Amino acid sequence: MNKLTHIITLVGIFSLALISGCKQQEQQAVVAPDPVIIQNGEECDLCGMYINRFPGPKGQVFERGLTHAKRFCSTRDMFAYALQPEHQHRIEHIYVHDVATAAWDEQGKAKYIDARTAFFVSGHKLNGAMGPALASFSKRADAESFIVQQGGDILTFDQIDIEVLSQMSHQAMHN
């Protein structure tokens, strides 16, 4: 092998190693952490209230660069945090309780689901920690059954914005 062939071979091997390393990093970033169990006495990262003292679904946010989850006493508080521009771009994983897997006042026992694929019911009769809460479900059929009993409308993750949260606050003031 002449020197040029040897250099080209080394450059090729080095390039493959770099590409392989990048792909491994991408695959590692995709692995979602497991939601954490919220212990008694833990406080909401938005309002400071004790999370497990209140009914309704809770939420968790995992941000890039942090090793712990941000925990929230209600799905509404979680969205209020997640929709802030300074947080939006850092969120890697976001979880909510599947309301169908436990009683409303025992959501600490409910299964966590990916909030981005959940169906949310807004405008229903039940209250969470901060008044109205977004009831979260892994299956649309469960959300529809909930609406039959409690009222409300189905929203997807991408449909929830500051205006939706503001309407929920307005609803709380008039009830």
Side-chain angles (χ1 to χ4, degrees):
M1 236 194 297
N2 66 27
K3 272 188 167 183
L4 182 59
T5 306
H6 187 67
I7 291 171
I8 291 172
T9 302
L10 287 174
V11 168
I13 291 170
F14 181 71
S15 297
L16 285 174
L18 279 175
I19 291 169
S20 175
C22 290
K23 286 187 179 180
Q24 284 177 347
Q25 282 182 336
E26 286 175 17
Q27 288 173 349
Q28 288 173 355
V30 172
V31 176
D34 290 331
V36 297
I37 295 171
I38 297 174
Q39 303 296 326
N40 287 335
E42 289 191 69
E43 296 177 358
C44 177
D45 281 302
L46 184 71
C47 70
M49 293 172 52
Y50 290 116
I51 298 170
N52 287 337
R53 287 194 181 169
F54 300 95
K58 318 296 184 237
Q60 297 181 25
V61 170
F62 287 85
E63 293 180 348
R64 183 176 44 260
L66 295 180
T67 57
H68 64 282
K70 298 277 187 181
R71 298 164 176 101
F72 301 94
C73 63
S74 71
T75 48
R76 189 173 78 172
D77 272 14
M78 183 202 69
F79 272 104
Y81 177 88
L83 291 171
Q84 293 176 18
E86 64 268 24
H87 300 147
Q88 276 181 325
H89 69 282
R90 293 192 316 237
I91 295 173
E92 289 186 335
H93 306 284
I94 187 165
Y95 298 103
V96 290
H97 279 132
D98 183 350
V99 171
T101 62
W104 185 259
D105 59 349
E106 294 182 3
Q107 285 294 296
K109 298 176 183 176
K111 176 184 173 196
Y112 275 102
I113 57 174
D114 183 340
R116 290 184 172 106
T117 61
F119 298 94
F120 296 89
V121 177
S122 177
H124 56 81
K125 300 174 193 173
L126 300 176
N127 281 322
M130 301 295 285
L134 291 158
S136 41
F137 298 89
S138 61
K139 298 176 186 162
R140 185 176 191 91
D142 290 337
E144 290 168 349
S145 294
F146 180 85
I147 289 172
V148 169
Q149 295 177 353
Q150 305 297 336
D153 299 298
I154 295 177
L155 300 171
T156 63
F157 182 87
D158 292 333
Q159 292 174 308
I160 299 169
D161 57 17
I162 297 298
E163 185 176 324
V164 168
L165 299 182
S166 178
Q167 288 172 353
M168 291 174 70
S169 295
H170 184 72
Q171 171 192 351
M173 291 185 336
H174 288 94
N175 285 341

